[in-house]
């Protein structure tokens, strides 16, 4: 019984760590795109529709996180929303 | 009491719908980018690091979904993984 409890704990902790790393990666992924676009001042190959839909979706994820009261969902999505919005702003600013 | 139950139900259903639309948007957002890059055969402005980290993150979200046994998380992330991987493939294929 104690051994079962031990492995259950390991499983729960592993799951939490995987969720944390997953959230970290899908959020920080936008940083190199922000830096690249800022440096090159070129956003021709970026899809305006993609970043518009993505920002709207991440905004709704934040609302969803607030409604189910899950701080990790709220925080990751607010940071992602800021980064994706910067890219969307660059896309509009650096006209083709 | 019955009125409370009614509003609680409305809240739960609204939350589910917002989560569904959020997942739909952050997934389908990648479709216009796939189409744009396929048509233009140009991926110079896309960040290789962004799409590499993003694919790895979405892969971990899928594993996370499997571990907590949540079909919506698994499905949305598998579709997003396919779309983001296609963009990553284009980025590598259409050399600058």
């Amino acid at each position: 019984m104690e051994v079962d409890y031990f492995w259950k704990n390991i499983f729960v902790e592993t799951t939490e760590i995987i969720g944390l790393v997953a959230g970290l990666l899908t959020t920080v992924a936008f940083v190199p795109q922000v830096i690249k676009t800022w440096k090159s001042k070129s956003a021709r190959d970026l899809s305006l529709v993609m970043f518009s839909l993505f920002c709207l979706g991440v905004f709704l994820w934040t609302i969803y996180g607030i409604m189910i009261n899950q701080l990790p969902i709220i925080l990751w999505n607010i940071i992602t929303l800021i980064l994706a919005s910067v890219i969307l702003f660059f896309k509009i600013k650096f006209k083709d």
Side-chain angles (χ1 to χ4, degrees), chain A:
Chain A
M1 207 61 172
E2 257 180 22
V3 174
D4 273 9
Y5 182 76
F6 173 78
W7 287 112
K8 213 194 153 186
N9 252 6
I10 294 279
F11 182 81
V12 169
E13 278 169 23
T14 308
T15 306
E16 278 174 7
I17 290 167
I18 289 176
L20 206 73
V21 177
L24 185 73
L25 283 174
T26 49
T27 295
V28 298
F30 289 87
V31 175
Q33 184 67 66
V34 168
I35 295 169
K36 185 186 173 79
T37 312
W38 171 250
K39 279 189 180 166
S40 69
K41 310 268 185 270
S42 168
R44 200 193 51 182
D45 297 333
L46 299 177
S47 163
L48 179 69
V49 185
M50 172 187 162
F51 283 94
S52 305
L53 293 178
F54 196 82
C55 283
L56 188 61
V58 174
F59 173 74
L60 288 182
W61 274 127
T62 310
I63 301 294
Y64 177 80
I66 292 167
M67 289 178 89
I68 66 165
N69 203 22
Q70 284 288 321
L71 197 63
I73 296 183
I74 301 169
L75 284 184
W76 284 136
N77 281 291
I78 283 180
I79 301 169
T80 309
L81 183 58
I82 293 169
L83 292 167
S85 299
V86 170
I87 298 169
L88 183 60
F89 170 75
F90 284 165
K91 173 65 189 174
I92 296 163
K93 186 179 156 82
F94 305 137
K95 281 254 175 290
D96 305 343

